[in-house]
Amino acid sequence: RDVDRVLASPAARQAIDLEHAHGAFNYRPLPVVLARGRAAQLWDTDNKPYLDFLSAYSAVNHGHCHPRLLAALHRQSANLTL
């Protein structure tokens, strides 16, 4: 879409182009490339903040990078990683 090209920075555009070339299209992607998250807040590759309103969807209902979930992940990955 033309609007995607206008809204996305060059770094985000590169990631979006990779997704278009190799991704599965179960949902229509937004012209945003998220780089990190903490609780309900997310940041894109240009450090622009967003609020995540999909918290009840999938496993994100605990918030991004929840300390207890990260600790469990680290413990498990020290034992076995596939």
Side-chain angles (χ1 to χ4, degrees), residues 1 4 25-27 30 34 37 43 50 64 68 75 77:
R1 295 182 338 170
D4 293 350
F25 294 100
N26 300 330
Y27 301 97
L30 297 172
L34 300 173
W43 292 266
Y50 298 85
H64 296 276
R68 287 177 55 198
R75 280 192 310 274
S77 65

Side-chain angles (χ1 to χ4, degrees), residues 3-31:
V3 69
D4 293 350
R5 296 195 181 283
V6 172
L7 296 176
S9 69
R13 182 76 248 154
Q14 183 180 9
I16 290 169
D17 288 344
L18 282 171
E19 180 182 22
H20 282 238
H22 305 288
F25 294 100
N26 300 330
Y27 301 97
R28 185 178 183 145
L30 297 172

Side-chain angles (χ1 to χ4, degrees), residues 7-69:
L7 296 176
S9 69
R13 182 76 248 154
Q14 183 180 9
I16 290 169
D17 288 344
L18 282 171
E19 180 182 22
H20 282 238
H22 305 288
F25 294 100
N26 300 330
Y27 301 97
R28 185 178 183 145
L30 297 172
V32 174
V33 178
L34 300 173
R36 62 189 173 93
R38 178 71 59 190
Q41 192 159 10
L42 302 161
W43 292 266
D44 68 11
T45 53
D46 298 316
N47 209 34
K48 181 179 176 184
Y50 298 85
L51 282 177
D52 187 351
F53 289 105
L54 294 176
S55 62
Y57 181 77
S58 189
V60 185
N61 57 355
H62 299 290
H64 296 276
C65 300
H66 190 284
R68 287 177 55 198
L69 293 178

